[in-house]
Amino acid sequence: MKWIDTPESSNIARFGYDNPSRVLKVEFKNGSVYDYFDVPDHVFNGMRNTPSKGQYLAQQIKGNYRYARA
């Protein structure tokens, strides 16, 4: 998995996506890491391309996909 650093985000340190398993992994600046399951690649691409990663995560991913703390 290739990580994408997000120094512009106040809350998210980095995130990555595993295409075969469709898992989006998000590491927050407080050190916690969460896996979001069954995330389509177009949703990952949306997060990669949005100017506000935290807002996109809150609006498009949280509440829509199962997750677990890694």
Side-chain angles (χ1 to χ4, degrees):
M1 174 181 315
K2 180 178 180 261
W3 286 96
I4 298 169
D5 292 324
T6 56
E8 72 282 359
S9 176
S10 61
N11 195 26
I12 297 173
R14 61 186 187 153
F15 64 98
Y17 184 68
D18 183 66
N19 204 354
S21 65
R22 296 177 15 137
V23 172
L24 174 69
K25 188 175 287 282
V26 179
E27 181 179 333
F28 293 90
K29 293 205 172 169
N30 68 6
S32 61
V33 179
Y34 285 84
D35 291 337
Y36 295 87
F37 304 103
D38 302 317
V39 176
D41 62 348
H42 75 271
V43 173
F44 163 68
N45 287 329
M47 184 161 172
R48 189 172 56 186
N49 295 320
T50 188
S52 176
K53 311 301 187 215
Q55 187 176 40
Y56 188 87
L57 181 71
Q59 293 177 351
Q60 302 296 324
I61 298 169
K62 286 184 176 180
N64 293 319
Y65 300 98
R66 292 179 306 112
Y67 68 93
R69 189 164 181 169

